[in-house]
Amino acid sequence: MNIHTTIDILDMSKTVAEAERLMTVCNSCRYCEGLCAVFPAMEMRRAFSEGDLNYLANLCHGCGACLPDCQFSPPHEFNVNVPQTLARLRGDTYQAYAWPRALSGLFERNGLAIASIAALSVFLFIAGFVAWNDKASLFRADGGAGAFYRLMPHNAMAGLFIAVTLYVVVAVIMSCRAFWKDIGEPAATLRQPVSLWQAIRDAGTLRYLDGGGVGCVNDDDMPTDRRRLYHHMTFYGFLLCFAATSTATLYHYLLGIEAPYPWYDLPVLLGTAGGIGLVIGPCGLLLAKLRRDPLLLDRPRWGMDVAFIVMLFLTSLTGLLLMIFRASPAMGLLLALHLGVVFSLFFTMPYGKFMHGIYRFLALVRYAKERRELETGH
Ligand code: SF4
Ligand code: SF4
């Protein structure tokens, strides 16, 4: 074990110990039990194993409400800061569960790692286009059907993205497996339709990002629902973009119609609506993050949070620019830029902030089960 790893483990143990201290204080106080799912889940326990704390950390939505509401928050000597401590612990779990282990280091200096992978991907797409065609083709105006695939054959493009998607699916499943095992939850819970449905509803509406009904705490004592709205725009924008890509694939293979498509076709309409959501949502989230009270943030992981937001923003921005300028000489470069950004976004998904949504959903599944058991007695 090298020195670096030893320091990481000591730091992680310190965070676990602090989370345990806070949950013990909160379990005696219970003032915040109506704010979110974390406090009721905490009240179901008398002692907290590391797995329990990791579960609670991922159940926390980071609304921040329990900081200003707490009579023991800094500068009180008890120094109770639940949002920041759970955010730190959450970040530690992302790295601890990463698969394969060899790539867990991508979580360190995550912003730099993701920016480097994105730059390399864009460069490789440009180099690939030039190698496949000639240098001039990169700047040739070509807006006709199949223009994209004259720069890169459709089968090569589809094969590359199918391969990276399969890799991401396996990496995410393996990471989730590690989380589920760590929190000590049986696999059978994932086969309970009632728990799954409840978690889908809670995640789909971001029920626990409302600070107990008043909204998220930002830079002052005036909570608002803005962060929830921007999260929704980002999430549903992403889903619409995914639907646009899937529809385009069906157009290509089932109907034999090649991109680019006219503005009124389904892939373009879905992509435009999703792209707009994915521009406004990440901008709003970034602004909210910049304005947030530093006491609510996990400062050392600032780069990870910002990198994911920026990658989502760049995905939509380059997609929209490609749609607007697809018949111009800029199309070749914009296509390389867009494909490079999307590829790196996909590839780095298991090693960045994307995972917060996955672990939070799983934590909600467990919480739904626990709540039901408590209410029904079995
Ligand atoms: S955060 Fe503070 S007020 Fe809320 S339950 Fe914990 S100790 Fe009590
Ligand atoms: S930050 Fe919000 S979601 Fe997290 S524990 Fe506090 S009240 Fe609950």
Side-chain angles (χ1 to χ4, degrees):
M1 184 183 294
N2 62 34
I3 293 174
H4 191 68
T5 317
T6 312
I7 292 169
D8 284 352
I9 289 172
L10 287 175
D11 274 353
M12 187 163 174
S13 305
K14 258 185 355 202
T15 313
V16 170
E18 176 63 0
E20 188 182 18
R21 179 184 79 88
L22 297 192
M23 288 299 100
T24 308
V25 173
C26 293
N27 221 0
S28 311
C29 166
R30 301 193 170 188
Y31 179 74
C32 297
E33 64 184 357
L35 291 183
C36 67
V38 172
F39 294 96
M42 172 198 77
E43 289 173 15
M44 294 175 203
R45 294 163 168 81
R46 293 287 167 270
F48 303 95
S49 67
E50 191 169 332
D52 288 333
L53 295 166
N54 291 339
Y55 157 58
L56 295 174
N58 281 287
L59 191 58
C60 168
H61 285 47
C63 74
C66 58
L67 186 71
D69 280 11
C70 179
Q71 60 271 42
F72 306 123
S73 63
H76 191 282
E77 60 179 326
F78 284 7
N79 194 31
V80 173
N81 187 339
V82 175
Q84 190 175 68
T85 304
L86 294 189
R88 281 191 183 142
L89 188 54
R90 232 178 3 257
D92 289 343
T93 64
Y94 302 160
Q95 184 160 2
Y97 304 141
W99 184 93
R101 295 293 308 141
L103 291 186
S104 66
L106 287 177
F107 278 100
E108 287 161 22
R109 310 196 67 189
N110 189 259
L112 181 65
I114 289 181
S116 307
I117 291 169
L120 182 67
S121 302
V122 171
F123 170 77
L124 289 177
F125 273 103
I126 292 175
F129 286 4
V130 172
W132 179 257
N133 304 278
D134 57 276
K135 210 168 163 187
S137 65
L138 204 58
F139 305 102
R140 198 172 293 141
D142 179 4
F148 295 166
Y149 311 125
R150 281 188 278 284
L151 284 166
M152 182 175 184
H154 184 273
N155 285 347
M157 202 185 285
L160 184 68
F161 280 93
I162 288 171
V164 75
T165 303
L166 289 177
Y167 171 78
V168 167
V169 168
V170 172
V172 168
I173 288 174
M174 295 304 284
S175 304
C176 290
R177 196 166 162 264
F179 172 63
W180 211 239
K181 208 169 147 201
D182 181 42
I183 66 173
E185 192 61 27
T189 307
L190 292 170
R191 294 192 291 271
Q192 293 178 353
V194 191
S195 304
L196 285 172
W197 179 236
Q198 183 64 54
I200 289 170
R201 282 170 51 197
D202 292 344
T205 56
L206 285 176
R207 178 177 173 184
Y208 298 113
L209 196 64
D210 73 347
V214 292
C216 274
V217 175
N218 300 298
D219 50 339
D220 49 32
D221 287 339
M222 293 291 292
T224 69
D225 247 346
R226 278 198 301 267
R227 278 184 76 234
R228 187 148 72 141
L229 176 72
Y230 294 137
H231 268 94
H232 279 320
M233 293 185 93
T234 305
F235 177 66
Y236 291 109
F238 183 82
L239 285 190
L240 282 172
C241 288
F242 189 75
T245 310
S246 308
T247 317
T249 308
L250 292 179
Y251 267 46
H252 186 93
Y253 285 115
L254 287 186
L255 306 178
I257 309 172
E258 291 191 328
Y261 304 108
W263 68 267
Y264 48 80
D265 250 335
L266 197 55
V268 182
L269 292 177
L270 289 170
T272 306
I276 291 170
L278 258 187
V279 167
I280 300 173
C283 283
L285 287 176
L286 188 60
L287 211 62
K289 193 161 275 298
L290 290 170
R291 287 182 177 164
R292 257 199 140 189
D293 183 344
L295 272 180
L296 293 167
L297 300 172
D298 176 16
R299 270 285 172 195
R301 291 206 175 81
W302 175 263
M304 176 179 80
D305 295 357
V306 172
F308 185 54
I309 292 173
V310 170
M311 288 302 290
L312 288 171
F313 173 75
L314 287 178
T315 298
S316 54
L317 182 71
T318 55
L320 289 172
L321 287 175
L322 180 62
M323 193 191 70
I324 295 166
F325 296 109
R326 59 192 163 171
S328 80
M331 185 272 275
L333 269 184
L334 285 173
L335 183 63
L337 203 58
H338 184 58
L339 292 178
V341 169
V342 174
F343 180 85
S344 46
L345 173 75
F346 268 56
F347 177 72
T348 57
M349 271 178 170
Y351 315 108
K353 188 65 190 273
F354 169 78
M355 292 306 290
H356 83 293
I358 307 284
Y359 295 135
R360 192 166 281 156
F361 174 74
L362 290 176
L364 284 169
V365 175
R366 184 191 208 188
Y367 179 65
K369 184 203 90 169
E370 290 183 340
R371 272 298 285 257
R372 216 182 45 260
E373 283 177 353
L374 192 74
E375 283 161 11
T376 61
H378 54 81

